[in-house]
Amino acid sequence: MSQSSGFAKVVAAIVVAGGLAASGWLVGTGIENMRALDRYVTVKGLAERDVKADKAVWPITYVATDDVLQNAQAKIDADTNTLFEFLASHGIAREATELQNLQVTDQLAQSYRSGPIESRYIVNQTIQVRTDDVDAVVAASQDIGKLLQGGVVLGGQGYNPGPSYLFTGLNDIKPEMIAAATANAREAAQQFAADSGGELGGIRRATQGLFQIMAADGAPNMMEANQINKTVRVVTTMEYLIRD
């Protein structure tokens, strides 16, 4: 064996040994980091805000019956004018309304009907109200009895579910609510870290929940769309690292 060949083998052995030592250090450090990452806490943060509906949608269906179609149609036309006047008296302009769903039923043409027929023709008409003036719709819907006193028959083949109240400003409050929910989650995580004798680290993972719009009073079987006052809720799920 030549002197240069022996020297090359010694150098190669040193390199291999160094590589093994370095890989061992990296593996050990990786295991240590993995164990550090194993220490984390999962918390949920809640944010709620009370809001008021900013849009109202109100379909009003009314009906007229008669053995003569022209008479039934004339009654519908008269009731339409009565409804427009009623809405205008409550500050709901004609521009906020739309005539929809004119339906005519000839009961003699229905083969499945049996028994006597009081009126041959049934005419249904719907006025759809859509406005940002929620308070005006509230006042009008509470005064609906005046229409009945005036001879307007509500319902018919359609039905009158009453106004629906919508909140359309969700995008405007989302950033503040997410920030509030995140702060709430962090506060819970800090308490957990303190109770476990550690310190709170960075965020390991974060998940934003869905925004919910609910009836503010939370009564059983209460429909959110029928309520003016609502509660917006969001829940975020956060994972925080815990340091020793």
Side-chain angles (χ1 to χ4, degrees):
M1 179 185 297
S2 66
Q3 184 175 1
S4 60
S5 176
F7 178 75
K9 290 183 177 181
V10 170
V11 171
I14 293 174
V15 170
V16 171
L20 290 174
S23 63
W25 178 81
L26 289 174
V27 170
T29 302
I31 293 174
E32 181 180 347
N33 289 338
M34 287 174 63
R35 288 175 179 170
L37 289 174
D38 284 340
R39 292 203 62 196
Y40 66 91
V41 59
T42 302
V43 292
K44 292 184 181 294
L46 170 67
E48 290 185 338
R49 178 173 295 190
D50 293 331
V51 299
K52 181 181 178 180
D54 53 21
K55 185 178 291 294
V57 179
W58 185 16
I60 307 172
T61 300
Y62 47 106
V63 60
T65 61
D66 202 284
D67 286 329
V68 179
L69 179 59
Q70 289 80 359
N71 293 343
Q73 184 61 57
K75 178 64 166 63
I76 281 291
D77 292 341
D79 288 349
T80 298
N81 291 330
T82 299
L83 271 163
F84 282 141
E85 292 173 358
F86 170 80
L87 293 173
S89 70
H90 289 84
I92 301 174
R94 182 74 66 92
E95 292 75 18
T97 66
E98 180 183 356
L99 283 173
Q100 296 181 346
N101 303 329
L102 177 64
Q103 298 179 1
V104 178
T105 302
D106 182 353
Q107 299 197 81
L108 290 181
Q110 297 177 348
S111 58
Y112 59 83
R113 180 174 292 276
S114 61
I117 296 176
E118 295 182 2
S119 298
R120 176 176 178 178
Y121 295 102
I122 301 174
V123 181
N124 288 270
Q125 178 75 70
T126 298
I127 292 179
Q128 176 92 309
V129 177
R130 183 182 295 272
T131 178
D132 297 339
D133 193 346
V134 175
D135 293 333
V137 171
V138 172
S141 64
Q142 293 175 346
D143 203 24
I144 199 74
K146 288 183 177 179
L147 290 173
L148 301 177
Q149 295 172 5
V152 178
V153 180
L154 301 175
Q157 291 182 350
Y159 75 106
N160 286 291
S164 293
Y165 301 105
L166 313 175
F167 175 68
T168 63
L170 183 59
N171 287 336
D172 295 333
I173 64 174
K174 271 185 176 182
E176 292 182 1
M177 290 194 65
I178 292 173
T182 302
N184 181 254
R186 184 173 182 83
E187 182 179 351
Q190 286 175 330
Q191 183 62 50
F192 183 90
D195 292 343
S196 64
E199 293 183 358
L200 192 66
I203 296 175
R204 181 174 182 266
R205 183 179 303 161
T207 303
Q208 176 194 318
L210 295 176
F211 279 82
Q212 295 177 289
I213 302 178
M214 307 171 295
D217 53 21
N221 302 320
M222 186 67 70
M223 297 293 293
E224 170 266 322
N226 300 137
Q227 302 300 304
I228 303 170
N229 297 312
K230 307 173 186 294
T231 297
V232 180
R233 172 184 294 176
V234 65
V235 177
T236 59
T237 302
M238 313 288 292
E239 292 182 2
Y240 286 94
L241 299 174
I242 302 295
R243 298 194 300 262
D244 294 329

